[in-house]
Amino acid sequence: MANLSTRFFGLDLKSPVIAASSSMTGHAEQVIKLAEAGAGAIVLKSIFEEEIYLELQEELSQRSSLHADPEYLDYFDYVIKEENIKKYLKLISEVKARTNVPIVASINCVSSGEWVLFARKIEEAGADALELNMFVYPEVYKSGENDEQFYFDTITKVLQVVKIPVSIKISHYFTNLPGIVQKLSQTGISGITIFNRFYSPDIDIQSQTVVVSDVLSLPDDYILPLRWTGILSGILSCDLAATTGIHTSESALKFLLAGASAIQIASVLYIEGPLAITRMNNEIAHWMDQKGYTNLSDFRGLLSQTSSSTQAWGRVQFMKYFGEKAF
Ligand SMILES: Cc1cc2nc3c(=O)[nH]c(=O)nc-3n(C[C@H](O)[C@H](O)[C@H](O)COP(=O)(O)O)c2cc1C
């Protein structure tokens, strides 16, 4: 019988299929269902700095007479954040009391500011690990180096505050992706997940308005993180996981073959519910049995750039494939 155990977030997981952070992981009952379905770990919905900020604005507008007092503003900022954190801490302790599946807290960070101190409270509430969902919106007046420094500063500060393992989830928006990801892997973090998927605007040509594009990923979206999993998996000093577009056991297996230790899924959970995890676990085990593999380590990374002779991961231009096509 195939053994699906793996290691990610600095933790031993019984399955490589992780329930990624989303609104599905923001309620205790749903988290328990995901655990019962066989998730290797569950990443709770992120605390968003943006969300905290919006709440703060709303409260402030109701108390306009106090706007002028900077000392009060500092205090108020703290209280509001405390309220948000309290709800989050309650969620962590509740789900920790009800399941043995590793629970990973998540913070959506765009700065290395005050929230860093709250990471310790997350640890005290019992979270097994912490994932930082990191992204800096690029602005024309800022340099790439400046934006990259945010990642290092934040990781350093968080690692000083907590003892639980810290992982990061990042986007692909870097100039030299392998260079920066390798450096990030050497900071003391336990894992890196590539790549987060963002809210993206689209255009409705009938109403001629900007609208929200599909919130959920499509099954073909896995191709971008797959390439970079193949390239990065052999050159990092921490474990690598992948997310975006992984809807089937087939795509999950591709990531394991490319060298990922785990995969994080969200969209397919919205489409199929928690049983998508059970299905993927069963199908991965079935494929391993068919191929004669006992452990994930028997085939993990077999097709990565470092372990295979293929040049395909680094090829970007189509050249001969479309150059000679006659119509
Ligand atoms: C509705 C929704 C809410 C999400 N909320 C969060 C979040 O709070 N924090 C986070 O790090 N990622 C969040 N994500 C991103 C997912 O964790 C995941 O990395 C991404 O959707 C790619 O995986 P998928 O293709 O399986 O959806 C969210 C995704 C969706 C679809």
Side-chain angles (χ1 to χ4, degrees):
M1 179 63 186
N3 173 4
L4 298 195
S5 63
T6 188
R7 209 170 154 75
F8 192 68
F9 297 124
L11 305 169
D12 292 323
L13 314 182
K14 65 176 187 194
S15 159
V17 182
I18 294 166
S21 177
S22 78
S23 47
M24 286 199 74
T25 61
H27 305 280
E29 294 309 322
Q30 272 168 308
V31 172
I32 300 306
K33 282 184 188 153
L34 293 164
E36 287 167 355
I42 295 156
V43 187
L44 300 181
K45 180 169 171 50
S46 304
I47 299 178
F48 281 68
E49 279 187 75
E50 198 183 2
E51 191 186 334
I52 295 166
Y53 180 69
L54 282 176
E55 222 175 288
L56 175 65
Q57 288 295 317
E58 201 176 294
E59 288 285 341
L60 285 176
S61 60
Q62 288 164 12
R63 296 165 190 241
S64 52
S65 60
L66 294 162
H67 276 200
D69 184 347
E71 278 186 23
Y72 178 80
L73 287 186
D74 278 355
Y75 166 76
F76 199 73
D77 192 15
Y78 184 78
V79 172
I80 293 291
K81 288 183 183 181
E82 277 286 286
E83 279 306 308
N84 244 313
I85 290 288
K86 266 185 203 152
K87 277 189 214 153
Y88 203 68
L89 300 181
K90 192 164 166 279
L91 175 66
I92 296 169
S93 41
E94 185 180 347
V95 293
K96 275 300 295 173
R98 292 175 61 187
T99 178
N100 291 326
V101 173
I103 298 297
V104 181
S106 167
I107 302 177
N108 178 65
C109 46
V110 292
S111 78
S112 54
E114 188 188 335
W115 65 264
V116 168
L117 299 173
F118 291 126
R120 186 173 292 150
K121 291 192 179 183
I122 279 171
E123 176 175 63
E124 286 164 3
D128 296 294
L130 175 62
E131 179 178 83
L132 305 177
N133 177 22
M134 307 183 87
F135 183 67
V136 199
Y137 187 81
E139 307 271 9
V140 283
Y141 60 85
K142 290 196 293 185
S143 71
E145 286 85 355
N146 191 42
D147 281 351
E148 286 179 7
Q149 198 53 44
F150 148 73
Y151 292 83
F152 294 96
D153 291 346
T154 307
I155 289 168
T156 305
K157 284 189 186 176
V158 173
L159 289 177
Q160 280 167 357
V161 172
V162 295
K163 293 190 189 69
I164 51 172
V166 176
S167 294
I168 62 172
K169 184 162 76 168
I170 55 169
S171 74
H172 59 279
Y173 296 108
F174 291 99
T175 308
N176 178 352
L177 189 68
I180 180 108
V181 179
Q182 188 181 55
K183 281 195 197 121
L184 287 169
S185 78
Q186 294 160 351
T187 54
I189 54 173
S190 303
I192 299 181
T193 298
I194 58 169
F195 298 115
N196 201 3
R197 188 165 178 277
F198 298 111
Y199 160 90
S200 292
D202 197 356
I203 286 180
D204 181 329
I205 58 166
Q206 293 309 329
S207 62
Q208 298 181 62
T209 52
V210 177
V211 294
V212 184
S213 67
D214 285 341
V215 174
L216 303 182
S217 64
L218 298 170
D220 286 349
D221 291 346
Y222 75 86
I223 285 292
L224 180 72
L226 183 66
R227 172 198 287 267
W228 291 103
T229 299
I231 292 170
L232 292 169
S233 61
I235 61 164
L236 302 187
S237 300
C238 68
D239 292 322
L240 182 67
T243 188
T244 292
I246 306 165
H247 289 214
T248 62
S249 55
E250 194 180 43
S251 52
L253 282 163
K254 291 180 187 183
F255 281 95
L256 296 169
L257 282 162
S261 295
I263 50 123
Q264 294 206 34
I265 57 169
S267 292
V268 72
L269 296 176
Y270 284 88
I271 298 164
E272 281 183 44
L275 286 180
I277 296 171
T278 318
R279 175 180 60 74
M280 283 169 106
N281 280 338
N282 290 340
E283 290 173 6
I284 291 170
H286 180 66
W287 179 88
M288 286 171 67
D289 288 342
Q290 276 186 331
K291 296 285 176 193
Y293 294 132
T294 310
N295 298 300
L296 294 187
S297 55
D298 295 342
F299 67 95
R300 182 172 43 229
L302 211 61
L303 299 178
S304 72
Q305 190 169 59
T306 15
S307 2
S308 70
S309 54
T310 177
Q311 301 298 310
W313 297 117
R315 175 167 292 156
V316 287
Q317 305 296 356
F318 285 109
M319 289 193 300
K320 66 177 182 180
Y321 293 101
F322 289 122
E324 292 163 12
K325 176 93 176 136
F327 291 98

